[in-house]
């Protein structure tokens, strides 16, 4: 503890302020509530705010407006969700996160990691470039080009999965077993872009994959998701089961998260027919309600809060931050 000097101004600029966190969420859902409670137990106030209510404001002291932080910047920012909107609106919201980082505010996950993970094609590129096992993946910007890929793959007895580039929760997935299965370019979720990934046939009698939750370079929990079809996402009826998190699975998930730059992430893995585990996706704003059901000995929200606050604690306090 820093002793008081008797000089009120000097005491003010050297006193470490109580952290106040901006928790960016579209709404205060159960996950946001758990994070707020976990941070509160550690003496930190988390102020929920939607990015759609934030703005660039060059007349403000730091050039930004964040409801609830009119007197200064937050000690840190945690991104639980980004409000949907037009391309222009989402661009500004991500730009806002970029601006916070440039002002020295730690952001989890920051805009670079979110942009990488939202763009499934970039995630696939980085995962493959790093030498991590992942299904063969292609992008095509016309149905004709996508049909050529599908014709080549299906002729060799392989199916493809068509995924919305920016999709989540298993919505909009299509199984492509012939070029004729490809939707037109103006179909919902296509927007003239075909993201195609080689379909991984089930290795056993059930459809299943795995989700591993990574926080600051550590795999803290994992689950097996079992579905009645090849789509195993929880929102599509998949059921969580306990996963034995081996060093190999944990290590693969940690490396995949690191490739994207994500400080916390849900990494989706699947066992291939040859027994090799493949990386499917990396999610930069993952939910964990289902995972928490099968990991009762682990408080996931508390693990996130502790790791995030460790970053704030280790960060040097600048003069400009101290006087706020």
């Amino acid at each position: 503890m820093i002793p008081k000097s008797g000089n009120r101004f000097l005491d003010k600029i050297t006193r470490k302020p109580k952290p106040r966190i901006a928790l960016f969420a579209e709404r205060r859902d159960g996950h946001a509530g758990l994070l707020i409670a976990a941070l509160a137990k550690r003496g930190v106030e988390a102020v929920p705010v939607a990015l759609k209510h934030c703005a660039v404001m060059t007349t403000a002291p730091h050039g930004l407006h964040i409801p609830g932080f009119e007197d200064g910047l937050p000690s840190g920012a945690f991104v639980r969700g980004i409000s949907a909107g037009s391309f222009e609106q989402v661009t500004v919201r991500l730009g806002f996160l970029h601006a916070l980082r440039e002002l020295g505010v730690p952001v989890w996950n920051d805009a670079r990691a979110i942009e990488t993970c939202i763009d499934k094609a970039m995630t696939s590129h980085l995962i493959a470039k790093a030498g991590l096992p992942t299904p063969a993946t292609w992008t095509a910007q016309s149905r004709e080009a996508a049909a050529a890929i599908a014709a080549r793959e299906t002729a060799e007895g392989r199916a493809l999965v068509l995924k919305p580039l920016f999709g989540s929760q298993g919505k909009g997935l299509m199984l492509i077993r012939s070029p004729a299965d490809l939707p037109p370019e103006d179909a919902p979720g296509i927007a003239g872009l075909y993201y195609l990934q080689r379909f991984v046939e089930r290795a056993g009698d059930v459809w299943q994959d795995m989700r591993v939750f990574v926080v600051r370079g550590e795999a803290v929990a994992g689950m097996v998701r079992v579905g009645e079809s090849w789509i195993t996402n929880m929102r599509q009826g998949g059921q969580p089961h306990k996963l034995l998190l081996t060093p190999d699975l944990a290590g693969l998930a940690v490396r995949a998260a690191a490739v994207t730059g994500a400080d916390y992430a849900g990494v989706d893995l699947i066992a291939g027919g040859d027994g090799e585990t493949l990386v499917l996706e990396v999610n930069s704003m993952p939910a964990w309600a289902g995972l928490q059901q099968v990991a009762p000995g682990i408080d996931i929200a508390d693990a996130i809060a502790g790791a995030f606050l460790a970053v704030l604690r280790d960060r040097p306090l600048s003069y400009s931050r101290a006087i706020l």
Side-chain angles (χ1 to χ4, degrees), residues 210-212 221-224 241-246 249 269 294:
M210 295 164 280
R211 162 66 64 88
V212 178
M223 67 176 170
V224 176
H241 296 265
K242 187 174 182 179
L243 171 67
L244 176 61
L245 198 53
T246 65
L249 290 176
L269 309 174
V294 295

Side-chain angles (χ1 to χ4, degrees), residues 10-308:
L10 182 61
D11 289 340
K12 185 176 181 180
I13 66 173
T14 56
R15 184 173 64 248
K16 189 173 182 179
K18 181 179 179 180
R20 294 181 74 241
I21 305 299
L23 177 62
F24 293 121
E26 184 176 355
R27 63 188 185 281
R28 183 167 172 169
D29 62 6
H31 294 85
L34 289 171
L35 282 172
I36 290 170
L39 289 164
K41 284 195 305 183
R42 294 170 179 268
V44 176
E45 180 186 4
V47 180
V49 57
L51 276 167
K52 64 183 178 183
H53 296 148
C54 299
V56 170
M57 187 179 293
T58 59
T59 56
H62 295 288
L64 301 176
H65 168 66
I66 309 174
F69 293 90
E70 287 77 8
D71 295 333
L73 291 171
S75 303
F78 191 95
V79 185
R80 173 68 198 116
I82 298 177
S83 306
S86 67
F87 179 78
E88 290 82 1
Q89 288 173 317
V90 173
T91 297
V92 167
R93 289 163 192 167
L94 288 168
F96 193 91
L97 298 178
H98 280 296
L100 280 175
R101 184 192 70 241
E102 292 301 318
L103 288 168
V105 177
V107 182
W108 273 31
N109 284 308
D110 78 13
R112 295 168 297 184
I114 292 172
E115 289 165 349
T116 295
C117 294
I118 287 177
D119 180 353
K120 292 185 177 66
M122 177 54 70
T123 301
S124 293
H125 168 71
L126 293 175
I127 293 294
K129 184 174 179 289
L132 302 181
T134 189
T137 303
W138 300 264
T139 59
Q141 298 189 48
S142 70
R143 191 183 186 283
E144 180 182 10
I149 297 168
R152 183 178 66 247
E153 285 291 297
T154 57
E156 296 180 4
R158 292 189 289 262
L160 297 169
V161 177
L162 175 63
K163 300 181 178 182
L165 188 69
F166 302 140
S168 63
Q169 300 176 345
K171 298 175 182 177
L173 301 181
M174 294 182 64
L175 189 59
I176 307 299
R177 293 198 180 275
S178 77
D181 294 334
L182 291 165
E185 294 177 19
D186 59 355
I190 299 300
L193 192 286
Y194 297 82
Y195 171 82
L196 296 162
Q197 194 169 69
R198 188 172 287 168
F199 180 60
V200 180
E201 299 285 354
R202 59 184 176 184
D205 297 330
V206 297
W207 296 105
Q208 63 181 29
D209 62 10
M210 295 164 280
R211 162 66 64 88
V212 178
F213 207 94
V214 176
V215 180
R216 205 185 182 194
E218 179 184 356
V220 299
M223 67 176 170
V224 176
R225 299 184 299 194
V226 178
E228 294 183 358
S229 73
W230 62 276
I231 302 177
T232 61
N233 299 74
M234 302 285 291
R235 287 295 184 92
Q236 305 302 319
Q239 296 297 313
H241 296 265
K242 187 174 182 179
L243 171 67
L244 176 61
L245 198 53
T246 65
D248 286 345
L249 290 176
L252 180 58
V254 166
R255 292 194 298 275
V259 163
T260 67
D263 294 296
Y264 80 105
V267 181
D268 292 343
L269 309 174
I270 191 168
D274 60 358
E276 183 179 34
T277 302
L278 309 174
V279 180
L280 290 176
E281 295 180 12
V282 179
N283 302 273
S284 61
M285 293 176 284
W288 63 86
L291 177 56
Q292 188 66 79
Q293 294 176 29
V294 295
I298 302 167
D299 187 333
I300 297 173
D302 187 68
I304 297 170
F308 182 53

